[in-house]
Amino acid sequence: MPDCIFCKIVEGKIPVKKLAETDRALAFPDIDPQAPEHFLVIPKQHLVAMTEVTDWSLVGHLHEVAVGVARERMPNGFRTLINTGPDGVQTVFHVHLHCLGGRPMRWPPG
Ligand code: 5GP
Ligand code: ZN
């Protein structure tokens, strides 16, 4: 297992404010929020990127957790996204779903 900051969060070695937790996923605020509301949902299993996913129900589950949290925190709407690889500007190599809101998002992104 590579030295992975999100695995350390899953293992409780780095404390976070848990917004939601299931047997397969954990949601917590992003350390560098890009909107008034910005949290991440990660699988507890270490997966480097979306290109490594084989159990696609897990990706659905990440969204299920995100919407459960966002419904309360962002009643006016939100954006979910997953960055993959260099062109996706992925910086942490453990799959994570971003959920942003609390203001209108811009389009096109990036
Ligand atoms: P990426 O560009 O890989 O999609 O985004 C990685 C995200 O993880 C960034 O938004 C960054 O702020 C967040 N992040 C990186 N390290 C930590 C950390 O230790 N704790 C938390 N809560 N978020 C982190
Ligand atoms: Zn990991």
Side-chain angles (χ1 to χ4, degrees):
M1 177 68 61
D3 195 38
C4 172
I5 198 147
F6 286 176
C7 281
K8 287 184 180 147
I9 288 173
V10 170
E11 291 161 10
K13 291 177 181 161
I14 297 174
V16 290
K17 181 185 173 194
K18 292 182 183 178
L19 301 176
E21 182 171 17
T22 70
D23 57 333
R24 288 185 286 168
L26 182 63
F28 54 90
D30 195 290
I31 203 169
D32 182 21
Q34 300 301 312
E37 297 280 353
H38 184 181
F39 67 88
L40 304 174
V41 187
I42 65 172
K44 291 186 172 178
Q45 177 190 359
H46 180 79
L47 290 163
V48 169
M50 285 285 277
T51 44
E52 206 176 84
V53 170
T54 54
D55 175 9
W56 290 100
S57 76
L58 180 61
V59 178
H61 182 66
L62 299 181
H63 285 79
E64 180 184 8
V65 172
V67 172
V69 174
R71 210 192 290 281
E72 303 295 324
R73 299 175 73 92
M74 312 175 197
N76 210 40
F78 51 88
R79 177 174 293 166
T80 46
L81 65 96
I82 299 176
N83 296 324
T84 303
D87 280 1
V89 197
Q90 182 179 3
T91 60
V92 175
F93 293 92
H94 177 132
V95 168
H96 49 282
L97 175 66
H98 292 262
C99 188
L100 302 107
R103 63 164 170 80
M105 294 295 114
R106 288 177 285 272
W107 194 262

